Amino acid sequence: MRLPRPVVLGNWKMNGLVDDARALVGAVKARAGDAPTGTLGVFPPATLIERAREWVAGAPIFVGAQDCHHAPKGAYTGDLAAPMLAEAGAQAVICGHSERRQYHFEDDATVRAKADAGLGAGLKVVVCIGETEDEYLAGKTLERLDAQLAGSLPEGSTAGDVVVAYEPVWAIGTGRTPTDQEIEAAHGHIRARLVERFAEGGDIAILYGGSVKPSNAKAILATSNVDGALVGGASLDADDFWAIYEAGLGASG
Ligand code: PEP
């Protein structure tokens, strides 16, 4: 089933202790009311997932995890398996965020195995792809996206359980973004690949991520084939996060 647009997800990264997190979720919940028309999600650190589910109770906000291990259990000290995250209350998991690819050396096969594990545990999966600055400057963006799409996305991905997030690595946390034309070209390319490969490829949500903020959200979210945003830094401020969501209401391509 196609996720309602816009799909706006907040990746808190390694930020959030109980008091601040409760206040942040409470402030988003207060704005969300009963029935926003899109899809709104927060991805706190794993330590807060269970509490976050309690805080969002009654509001149309889902809660996800930022990563999972590919195995269901085993001798992997410090890791968390997808079924554990699901049991803690996670409803989705981000796989292959560039910070995982960069700092934890995750390759496409690992990301794909994690995504499969997430789906196996009943979670929606948000698969992140995106070129590095060197690849961007060398004009290799689409080539890189092709490789990541082919290697990272689970077979049989459907519009109800898989989201693709296009996040240029050089745009994450830098305040820099591609031009609207570049975003349109990348998203159009991703859409074509999804349609080629999956029966529901035309309906799988493609999010843009990388320095989205209230001031640029309207233009980005109105771009063709941009179905929403994966928001990092700005998701830690309820006003900014909500402004981005509002910018997307009725604007997604
Ligand atoms: C992210 O971490 O997924 C992200 C998009 O970060 P930021 O919005 O801070 O660039």
Side-chain angles (χ1 to χ4, degrees), residues 27 30 42 74-75 80 88 92 95 105 111 142 144 160 198 215 253:
V42 291
L80 294 170
C95 298
F105 312 108
V111 174
L142 301 185
R144 183 74 187 119
F198 303 115
S215 58

Side-chain angles (χ1 to χ4, degrees), residues 86-111:
E87 189 179 66
Q91 296 156 298
V93 62
I94 297 172
C95 298
H97 190 281
S98 71
E99 287 152 14
R100 300 291 313 177
R101 293 180 185 260
Q102 183 180 353
Y103 303 131
H104 298 267
F105 312 108
E106 293 183 4
D107 60 12
D108 289 329
T110 304
V111 174

Side-chain angles (χ1 to χ4, degrees), residues 11 13 97 99 167 171-173 209-212 230-233:
N11 171 20
K13 312 193 189 206
H97 190 281
E99 287 152 14
E167 300 204 306
I172 295 178
S211 296
V212 178
L230 181 54
V231 185

Side-chain angles (χ1 to χ4, degrees), residues 101 108 129 141-153:
R101 293 180 185 260
D108 289 329
I129 58 173
T141 297
L142 301 185
E143 204 179 306
R144 183 74 187 119
L145 297 183
D146 278 346
Q148 290 179 320
L149 286 168
S152 306
L153 280 182

